Structure formats: C-alpha cells, structure tokens
C-alpha cells in the first residue's frame, strides 16, 4: 500500500477544541471522522481547526481567530434566540414590511413593559368573544427546556417575576392521533456578510405524550412538546395511538404521514423555509462581522390544522443529546453533514490550503491553512486525500468514490410507518373530529425529495456536485448542497446581489413577497 501511494505531502489529522459543554455526539463524530482532540499539554495553543462549545464566544475570541480555525457561534445571535429579542425584531419587521409576510408569529407582548397593552387586548377579546375563552401562553425570555411556562385563559393565572413574553396560544394545532406536536428544524448560517443560510432536510418531530385537551391547561404532558418534559411522564413508554412508543419521529416520517393524507408536503416545506429566511433577516443587518464562524440553530415550528407554520422559538446550541432511535438517526448525521458543510465552505470561499510542515519534510498539516498556497497544494493533492479526514471512513473503494461526490441525490426514503387502518387520526381534537381532510392537497408524484422552493435550487440541485479542489470563485453563488444541508439563501441571482455588498433587506423582502404570491396563485 505504501508503494501504491502517490508521491506528495501526507496529511495530518485536523484538530478539534472542546470544553465541558461540548456535546458528546460532536466529539464522537469528529473522532470517528479521524480528527484529533486538542491537548494543550502537547500542542501549541493555536494548533486547532474547530472549536465547538455550547456557550457563545467573546468578541476578542472572534477577533483573534486564525485563518485555519472555525468557531461554532456567530457574535450577536442571541438577538434571535432570546424570546423577548426575537419578538421585538419580528415586530419591527412587521411594521417595516407589512403584516402578511410576518404573520407566522403569534400576537406577542413583552412583560413587564407591555403589560398595559396586554391587559387592553385581553379585555377587548373577552368582550368580543363573550362566553368563549381566549388562550394565552406565558414563557420566560431566557430559560430553555420550556421551564416556567404557564398556559391560561383567565388573566388571574398570569404570573411573572422577570422578563417574560405572553403570546396567543395556538389552540388549533395539527394533531396526530390526537397528540400535539411541533417540528425541530435545523438551520446552519455559514455567514451573515454575505448572508448564507442552509436548511437541513431531516429533523425531529416532538410529541406531547397525553392527548390534547383545552379543558385542562395545567397538564404539561398534553400541551408542551419538549422531550425533556415528556420523557418523565407516565405515558412516555406506552404505545400511543398512531404515535407509537416514545415522543419523537423523524421529519421524513412525519412528511410521509402527511403524504398519506394527500397533503402537499412540498408546499408546507416551502412555507417553513420562508419562515426561516424572514426570521434570520430580522437580525442579519445587526450581526457584527466575524470571520471563520458558523451557527447551527434549532427552529421550533408548530403546524396548525390549516397547515400554517407558526414560529415558536429559535434555539441557540440546540440539544444534541441522544435519547431515542430518532435522535440517533438524525443527530449523528447532522453533525457529520455540518462538518462537511463548514469545511467545504472554508475551502470554497476562502481559497485556503495547507501549511507546509517542517522544512524539508513532505508532511502537510490541516491544522494551519495558508490562503496563498491553496492552488499549489490542490495541484499536488487529489480530492480523495483532501477528504481523507473530512469524510467518513469507508471500508471499500466504491464507497470512497461515492463519498467524493458530496451531493448525492437525497431520496428522503420513507421508513416503515406505524399507521392505523383508518385515516382519521391526523386532525382529531378533543373538541370534534374534522369532517374534511387538510386544506392543502395534492400529492407530488414521484416524490423523490423535499427541496427548497427557490427556482435556482430547483433547477440545479440534482446537477450540483461540490468539489473541494475547486473553491468557489468570488462573485459566485455558494454551493447548493452538502449532505442533507440545502442552500435556501441566497435563492437566486437577485438575492445574492442584494446580500453581497451590504444587506438590501427591502429588495430581498420584495423577492420573497413575489414567491409567496406565486404560492397563493397555485
């Protein structure tokens, strides 16, 4: 094997840096890919490629980052992930660009500042509705895992002692087997200047473990979908109607279930991607420039019984713990694809290469990358060798050849489904089972994959293959796909131009409005 190896530099493994908060699955995946873990006792303080941790980085750490290093957080993204900040920015966007585009967030009040406004709205609704109840949810601005949440219909039940938000409670959620659910959508922003957003085509669907019941607002197991709550409930281990065991499905299983009802899941996916873009646009102009970083967000989306997506929250450092089979199938590949995406983005966008080793040595280290030497190194190294430590380990040559093509067609294959013989469980509620199917119909045939709604991607997604030896030229649209990540912004040449030299939000909003109008016309 040594004799068959082509002459040239030998790659050393890249190095990842962690702290006590770094998820175990991240470390496991990086070790599986052949990376080395940073050891400050044996390595220079700057000899690492990727620093992944749960907490944010200080601005000084962003300023001092080296060309060969990547950080897993952008500065300033808590503007998106704190509930009160998110509500404030989306309200501003609604005022600036009109309500129709930003109607995906429930009516929201920030406490205590908006208390008088909320009281006025509460009694206005009470007067209009008469004997009917209106429902509200009160959530802390900072706390995660849905701790401290109150759902109420009587204002006497509203209690808060810090910064909270109060929102209209979505009391007509789409139900599966009479259980409430929401979607965890993974989004990777690889840059804010220019803005570049990728969405992950797989994800998680989290279920409440007791049947939805508006007559009992204190039952968290019926109204909250977070798995950290539901896995402690008595119904978690039970085999539940349609849902089955546990409280999670994969996103592909959920969409397969919708397709069995002739729901146009592609149209629903288009609406979700639009929610993601419009949400990120709300803070994009405010994020300070920082090189060599990326952000993996967890968007929580609730679908109502009209198949309208509602944004519940955006999660900073979304949970990557492995609690069930759905977590295993989604999260491990998510991390693999994230590493693939950011590493290839670095090669394409920054034209980086490998630093020569010691003088006279033929060793090349991926730890330190030299912008000026990229072409020389790429001419000396085949694509396979560049992927040696960034792609997964394969046992046979044919698998390696498949790995070199980073963008295989994503079939979105359905898994065996736990379905009942009668298709009447999708929208069952405690009030009354609907007499009609969901409003959005029309099954796409053949249904090969879920792809974004942007015309650029629709026309090129199946043709694009990202080659790490051919970095993106300046002025070109970013790579369209890496693993299960698909580019959703920029989505055409106009939006690329509007984000390249300063973010022209108004122009982008106009393009999004045109796309939404096309959706309605269809």
């Amino acid at each position: 094997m040594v004799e068959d190896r082509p002459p040239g530099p030998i790659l050393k493994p890249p190095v990842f840096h962690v702290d006590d908060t770094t998820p175990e699955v991240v470390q496991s995946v990086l070790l599986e890919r052949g990376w080395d873990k940073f050891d400050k006792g044996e390595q220079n303080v700057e000899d690492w490629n990727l620093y992944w941790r749960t907490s944010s980085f200080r601005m000084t750490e962003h300023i001092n980052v080296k060309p060969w290093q990547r950080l897993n957080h952008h500065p300033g993204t808590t503007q998106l992930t704190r509930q009160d900040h998110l509500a404030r920015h989306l309200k501003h966007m609604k005022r600036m660009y009109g309500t129709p585009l930003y109607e995906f967030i429930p009516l929201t009040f920030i406490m205590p500042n908006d208390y008088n406004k909320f009281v006025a709205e509460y009694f206005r609704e009470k007067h209009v509705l008469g004997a009917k109840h209106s429902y509200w949810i009160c959530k802390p601005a900072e706390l995660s895992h849905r701790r401290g949440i109150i759902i109420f219909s009587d204002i006497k039940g509203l209690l808060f002692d810090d910064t909270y938000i109060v929102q209209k409670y979505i009391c007509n959620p789409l139900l599966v087997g009479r259980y409430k659910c929401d979607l965890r959508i993974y989004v990777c922003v690889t840059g804010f200047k220019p803005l570049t957003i990728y969405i992950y085509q797989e994800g998680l669907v989290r279920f409440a473990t007791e049947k939805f019941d508006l007559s009992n607002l204190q039952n968290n197991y019926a109204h909250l979908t977070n798995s950290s709550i539901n896995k402690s409930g008595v119904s978690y281990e039970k085999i539940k109607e349609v849902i089955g065991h546990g409280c999670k499905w994969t996103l592909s299983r959920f969409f397969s279930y919708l397709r069995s009802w002739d729901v146009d899941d592609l149209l629903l996916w288009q609406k979700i991607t639009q929610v993601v873009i419009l949400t990120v646009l709300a803070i994009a102009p405010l994020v300070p420039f920082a090189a060599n970083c990326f952000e993996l967000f967890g968007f929580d989306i609730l679908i109502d019984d009209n198949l309208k997506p509602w944004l519940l929250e955006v999660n900073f450092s979304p949970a990557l713990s492995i609690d069930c089979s759905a977590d295993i199938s989604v999260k491990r590949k998510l991390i693999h694809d994230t590493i693939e995406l950011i590493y290839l983005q670095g090669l394409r966008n920054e034209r980086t290469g490998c630093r020569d080793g010691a003088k006279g040595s033929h060793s090349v280290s991926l730890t330190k990358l030299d912008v000026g030497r990229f072409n020389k190194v790429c001419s000396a190294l085949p694509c396979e060798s560049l992927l040696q430590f960034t792609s997964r380990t394969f046992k046979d040559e044919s698998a390696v050849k498949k790995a070199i093509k980073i963008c295989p067609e994503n079939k979105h294959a359905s898994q065996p489904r736990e379905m009942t013989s009668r298709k009447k469980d999708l929208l069952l509620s405690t009030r009354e089972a609907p007499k009609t199917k969901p409003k959005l119909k029309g099954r796409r045939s053949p249904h090969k994959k879920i792809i974004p709604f942007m015309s650029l991607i629709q026309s090129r997604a199946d043709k694009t293959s990202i080659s790490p030896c051919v970095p993106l030229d300046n002025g070109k649209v970013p790579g369209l796909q890496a693993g299960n990540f698909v580019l959703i912004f920029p989505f055409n040449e106009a939006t690329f131009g509007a984000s390249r030299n300063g973010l022209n939000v108004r122009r982008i909003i106009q393009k999004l409005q045109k796309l939404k109008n096309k959706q309605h016309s269809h």
Side-chain angles (χ1 to χ4, degrees):
M1 292 180 64
V2 174
E3 292 177 356
D4 293 338
R5 181 178 295 165
I10 301 172
L11 291 178
K12 292 180 180 178
V15 177
F16 66 93
H17 197 337
V18 300
D19 65 12
D20 293 338
T21 68
T22 307
E24 286 295 327
V25 67
V26 173
Q27 301 187 53
S28 172
V29 165
L30 288 169
L31 290 171
E32 180 183 320
R33 296 175 70 91
W35 289 54
D36 284 344
K37 188 174 180 179
F38 177 76
D39 185 342
K40 63 181 180 181
E42 297 182 4
Q43 292 164 299
N44 187 288
V45 69
E46 296 178 350
D47 281 350
W48 52 267
N49 296 93
L50 172 65
Y51 195 165
W52 188 307
R53 70 188 191 195
T54 299
S55 57
S56 59
F57 295 95
R58 298 185 302 274
M59 199 62 204
T60 53
E61 292 176 285
H62 283 286
I63 293 171
N64 294 324
V65 71
K66 304 304 179 185
W68 57 87
Q69 297 173 335
R70 293 289 180 274
L71 306 177
N72 74 310
H73 294 299
H74 284 283
T77 49
T78 54
Q79 296 292 316
L80 201 62
T81 57
R82 261 189 66 116
Q83 295 263 12
D84 53 338
H85 292 168
L86 175 63
R88 193 173 291 114
H89 289 303
L90 291 178
K91 281 183 179 180
H92 172 74
M93 296 296 281
K94 187 181 290 188
R95 287 194 301 268
M96 289 290 293
Y97 304 108
T99 300
L101 270 181
Y102 279 91
E103 61 184 3
F104 56 81
I105 183 169
L107 179 63
T108 304
F109 300 91
I110 302 171
M111 301 297 175
N113 293 347
D114 291 343
Y115 181 76
N116 291 335
K117 293 179 182 178
F118 166 69
V119 171
E121 177 63 22
Y122 172 83
F123 284 105
R124 187 195 69 79
E125 283 201 8
K126 191 175 181 64
H127 175 74
V128 171
L129 295 174
K132 294 181 180 179
H133 291 289
S134 62
Y135 299 91
W136 303 86
I137 183 167
C138 181
K139 301 184 280 188
E142 280 191 280
L143 293 181
S144 60
H145 305 302
R146 301 197 172 185
R147 292 167 292 180
I149 293 179
I150 302 169
I151 303 169
F152 64 96
S153 61
D154 190 331
I155 197 170
K156 295 177 183 177
L158 174 59
L159 299 171
F160 58 90
D161 56 4
D162 201 346
T163 304
Y164 275 66
I165 66 164
V166 174
Q167 288 182 323
K168 283 288 293 182
Y169 184 57
I170 308 300
C171 56
N172 64 324
L174 184 147
L175 303 177
V176 178
R178 299 179 68 184
Y179 294 91
K180 181 181 175 181
C181 64
D182 70 5
L183 316 183
R184 168 58 60 85
I185 307 294
Y186 296 103
V187 173
C188 189
V189 179
T190 58
F192 279 91
K193 299 182 187 329
L195 182 60
T196 310
I197 310 172
Y198 289 82
I199 197 168
Y200 203 60
Q201 295 182 107
E202 185 58 283
L204 294 169
V205 181
R206 293 101 52 88
F207 291 94
T209 50
E210 295 189 14
K211 293 178 179 179
F212 187 70
D213 183 3
L214 283 174
S215 66
N216 184 3
L217 300 180
Q218 284 70 48
N219 186 357
N220 285 342
Y221 301 115
H223 293 280
L224 303 183
T225 57
N226 192 278
S227 59
S228 63
I229 292 173
N230 281 283
K231 68 184 181 182
S232 65
V234 295
S235 299
Y236 177 77
E237 296 291 344
K238 294 180 180 178
I239 303 298
K240 294 169 283 298
E241 185 180 3
V242 182
I243 308 276
H245 172 79
C247 66
K248 287 182 186 177
W249 280 4
T250 62
L251 193 61
S252 55
R253 177 177 178 179
F254 176 73
F255 278 118
S256 177
Y257 180 75
L258 292 184
R259 289 196 299 276
S260 72
W261 277 79
D262 291 326
V263 170
D264 189 343
D265 59 318
L266 178 58
L267 180 59
L268 177 59
W269 187 246
Q270 292 171 353
K271 291 179 179 180
I272 291 171
T273 57
Q274 195 169 49
V275 167
V276 169
I277 295 170
L278 288 166
T279 302
V280 177
L281 277 177
I283 69 149
L286 307 175
V287 175
F289 175 76
N292 296 8
C293 52
F294 65 97
E295 191 82 55
L296 183 65
F297 293 109
F299 277 66
D300 289 347
I301 305 285
L302 182 141
I303 311 298
D304 69 18
D305 60 11
N306 295 310
L307 296 179
K308 173 182 175 178
W310 294 88
L311 176 67
L312 299 181
E313 60 187 71
V314 182
N315 291 270
F316 183 85
S317 290
L320 294 173
S321 57
I322 305 295
D323 298 320
C324 62
S325 59
D327 284 337
I328 294 171
S329 63
V330 172
K331 293 180 180 180
R332 289 193 64 81
K333 189 172 190 309
L334 170 69
I335 302 304
H336 274 292
D337 289 351
T338 302
I339 301 305
E340 208 79 74
L341 175 65
I342 63 168
Y343 181 72
L344 294 176
Q345 278 283 77
L347 286 177
R348 288 195 302 266
N349 295 341
E350 301 191 16
R351 302 181 65 85
T352 53
C354 307
R355 184 189 67 164
D356 291 334
K359 193 171 183 178
S361 170
H362 292 289
S363 170
V364 172
S365 173
L366 277 172
T367 306
K368 294 195 175 181
L369 306 175
D370 184 347
V371 176
R373 297 178 182 174
F374 178 83
N375 290 331
K376 291 182 180 178
V377 173
C378 273
S379 64
L381 294 176
C383 291
E384 290 88 342
S385 62
L386 275 177
L387 287 170
Q388 180 180 352
F389 295 107
T390 60
S391 294
R392 306 183 196 190
T393 303
F394 294 97
K395 294 183 179 179
D396 57 72
E397 186 178 348
S398 62
V400 172
K401 290 179 179 177
K402 291 178 183 177
I404 295 168
K405 184 178 179 183
I406 304 300
C407 305
E409 184 179 9
N410 181 10
K411 296 284 185 180
H412 236 345
S414 302
Q415 300 173 8
R417 311 297 180 220
E418 296 175 9
M419 300 288 292
T420 60
S421 59
R422 293 174 298 170
K423 296 180 178 179
K424 68 176 187 177
D425 300 306
L426 177 61
L427 298 174
L428 287 178
S429 70
T430 55
R431 302 180 297 279
E432 182 182 9
K435 298 178 182 179
T436 60
K437 289 186 177 183
K439 295 180 179 180
L440 301 181
K441 301 179 182 180
R443 195 169 179 175
R444 301 185 66 86
S445 180
H447 188 92
K448 290 189 177 180
K449 60 173 146 179
I450 297 174
I451 57 176
F453 62 101
M454 299 67 179
S455 58
L456 178 69
I457 296 176
Q458 285 177 325
S459 64
R460 293 178 59 189
D462 294 326
K463 301 176 183 178
T464 302
S465 177
I466 302 172
S467 170
C469 289
V470 185
L472 183 71
D473 292 333
N474 289 334
K476 300 294 185 182
V477 175
L480 298 179
Q481 187 166 352
N484 261 341
F485 277 109
V486 177
L487 182 76
I488 60 170
F489 189 90
F491 53 82
N492 57 24
E493 296 293 342
T495 52
F496 178 63
S499 63
R500 187 179 173 195
N501 297 315
L503 198 62
N504 189 337
V505 176
R506 186 170 295 278
R507 187 180 179 195
I508 294 166
I509 293 289
Q510 289 171 351
K511 298 298 179 183
L512 287 167
Q513 185 64 65
K514 286 183 179 179
L515 286 169
K516 187 168 185 178
N517 292 341
K518 286 181 180 179
Q519 289 176 2
H520 285 301
S521 66
H522 289 317

